[in-house]
Amino acid sequence: MTAIPASISNTAAASAARNGVLLMLLGMLMFALNDVMGKWLVSTYSVGQVVFIRSVAALIVLAPFIWFNGPEKIVQVDRPQLQAIRVILSTAEVFAFYFAVVYLPLADVMTYWLAAPIYVAAISPFLLKEPVGWRRWSAIVAGFAGVVIALEPSSQALTPQAVISILGSMAFAFLLVLGRTLRGTPDTTLVFWQIVGAGLAGLVWVGFEWTPVSPRDLILLGLLGVVAMLAHVLVNRALKLADAATVAPLQYTLLFWAILFGWLVFGDVPRLSMLAGSGFIVASGLFIFFREQQLKRQGRIKTPAETVVAGSGDSA
C-alpha cells in the first residue's frame, strides 16, 4: 500500500480547514438571518404561531434525513427522562428568545444568549463533576460581569423582557450541558424531538390565538425552519472538516450580524453598555473555550467542550 506524501496530506487538511471556516461563517450568517426573520414576523404574529409554522417547515426539511438514518432511531432514545427534560428546556428557550426579540434589540438578546458557554462552565463542576481551576473561574466571573454591564440593572432597565432573556439563555446553557450528557444520541434524533416539542407548544398556543397569514408571510414563516435547518447542516459539516478550536470561536460573529442587521432592518443603535458587556462576554467565552481545549490536549479533562452557540437557531 503506497503511503500518502506528507505534503499532500497537509495540503488536504489545510483545504478542509479553510472550507470548515467558510461553512461555519456561512452557518452563523444563516442563524442570524433566521433570527432577523423571526423578529420581523413576531411583530405581526404571535410567538406560538411563528414557532408552530416554523416547526412544521423544519420537520418537512428534516424528514429525508430521518428516513435515511432510519425512522426507528427516533423512538429508540437513550435515557428518555433526560431527553424529555431537554425537550422542555429547548421549547422554553425558543419561546423565550422570540418573546425577548419582540421588545429588545436583536444585538441585546444575542449578547445574553452568547453568555451560555459561561453558564455552562459555571455549572459543569456541580452537574458534570468537571474540575474548574482558578483561571476559568476568573473568566466566569468576568463573563457574569459582562452580563451585568450589558443588562444595566436598574428599575428602568431591568425589564421583564430582559429577565426573560437571561432565563432563556440559562435554559440554553442547561441544554448544552444535557447535550454533553446525551452526546451518544444521534443529532437527527435530538433535533427531531426539539422541533416536535416546540411545534406542539405552538399548536396549543394557536388554538387560542390565530392571525390570518398572508402568502408572503407564510413563505417567510416556512423559511424560518428551512434556514435554521440549513444553518445546522453547515455548522455540523464545518465541525467535521475543521478542528473545533478553529471554527467554534467563529460563533461570536453572530454578534456582529446582530448589530448590523439590527441597525439596517430595525434601526437599533447599539448601547455603549451592551457593547462593553458583550466585549467581556466574548473575551471570557473565548478564554474558557481555549483553556478547555488546552486541558483536553493534556488529558486533564475528558468531556468534549461543546460551546457552539447559535442563538435561537439551535432550537431549529
Side-chain angles (χ1 to χ4, degrees):
M1 184 175 179
T2 305
I4 300 175
S7 59
I8 297 177
S9 177
N10 292 337
T11 301
S15 177
R18 284 194 299 270
N19 290 335
V21 168
L22 292 175
L23 291 177
M24 188 68 172
L25 290 173
L26 185 56
M28 293 300 101
L29 174 58
M30 291 296 102
F31 276 127
L33 289 174
N34 178 77
D35 295 337
V36 170
M37 292 164 60
K39 180 176 173 63
W40 179 275
L41 289 165
V42 291
S43 64
T44 304
Y45 305 99
S46 70
V47 172
Q49 189 171 350
V50 169
V51 171
F52 172 68
I53 299 177
R54 173 182 184 264
S55 298
V56 171
L59 283 176
I60 293 173
V61 176
L62 189 63
F65 296 95
I66 296 173
W67 182 261
F68 178 78
N69 291 324
E72 68 280 356
K73 293 182 180 179
I74 296 299
V75 294
Q76 296 173 355
V77 295
D78 181 39
R79 307 173 76 174
Q81 293 86 356
L82 288 182
Q83 300 281 357
I85 294 173
R86 188 177 185 278
V87 170
I88 293 171
L89 286 171
S90 66
T91 301
E93 182 264 336
V94 72
F95 271 83
F97 182 88
Y98 283 123
F99 271 121
V101 295
V102 171
Y103 303 100
L104 297 176
L106 189 60
D108 286 41
V109 179
M110 193 61 65
T111 296
Y112 300 138
W113 252 258
L114 286 175
I118 297 169
Y119 304 148
V120 171
I123 62 182
S124 290
F126 308 102
L127 295 183
L128 299 178
K129 308 301 181 185
E130 294 180 4
V132 175
W134 67 269
R135 295 180 182 85
R136 279 185 290 167
W137 275 121
S138 299
I140 290 168
V141 171
F144 276 115
V147 174
V148 172
I149 293 171
L151 188 60
E152 286 185 312
S154 68
S155 58
Q156 292 78 29
L158 195 59
T159 61
Q161 294 78 27
V163 173
I164 288 174
S165 293
I166 297 297
L167 294 177
S169 64
M170 288 183 174
F172 185 58
F174 280 101
L175 203 61
L176 292 177
V177 171
L178 284 177
R180 291 184 178 189
T181 305
L182 300 170
R183 58 184 179 272
T185 304
D187 291 341
T188 304
T189 302
L190 292 175
V191 173
F192 172 80
W193 288 113
Q194 281 183 230
I195 296 172
V196 169
L200 289 176
L203 179 61
V204 172
W205 187 293
V206 299
F208 298 95
E209 182 180 1
W210 177 268
T211 302
V213 184
S214 67
R216 183 202 66 176
D217 288 349
L218 184 61
I219 293 173
L220 290 176
L221 285 164
L223 280 175
L224 277 176
V226 175
V227 170
M229 288 303 302
L230 177 60
H232 275 293
V233 171
L234 290 170
V235 170
N236 288 337
R237 185 60 180 167
L239 289 168
K240 292 180 185 298
L241 290 174
D243 187 83
T246 301
V247 297
L250 299 175
Q251 66 181 300
Y252 292 107
T253 58
L254 270 172
L255 187 59
F256 166 78
W257 292 120
I259 294 173
L260 179 63
F261 289 144
W263 175 58
L264 292 177
V265 180
F266 305 107
D268 296 331
V269 178
R271 297 176 291 112
L272 181 60
S273 59
M274 187 279 294
L275 293 175
S278 63
F280 274 88
I281 291 169
V282 171
S284 301
L286 287 173
F287 179 87
I288 291 169
F289 175 79
F290 285 116
R291 179 60 178 167
E292 288 182 348
Q293 291 293 305
Q294 182 184 39
L295 294 175
K296 184 181 175 183
R297 286 193 298 270
Q298 295 173 356
R300 294 166 62 182
I301 59 174
K302 297 181 180 180
T303 304
E306 298 175 6
T307 56
V308 178
V309 179
S312 72
D314 249 24
S315 297

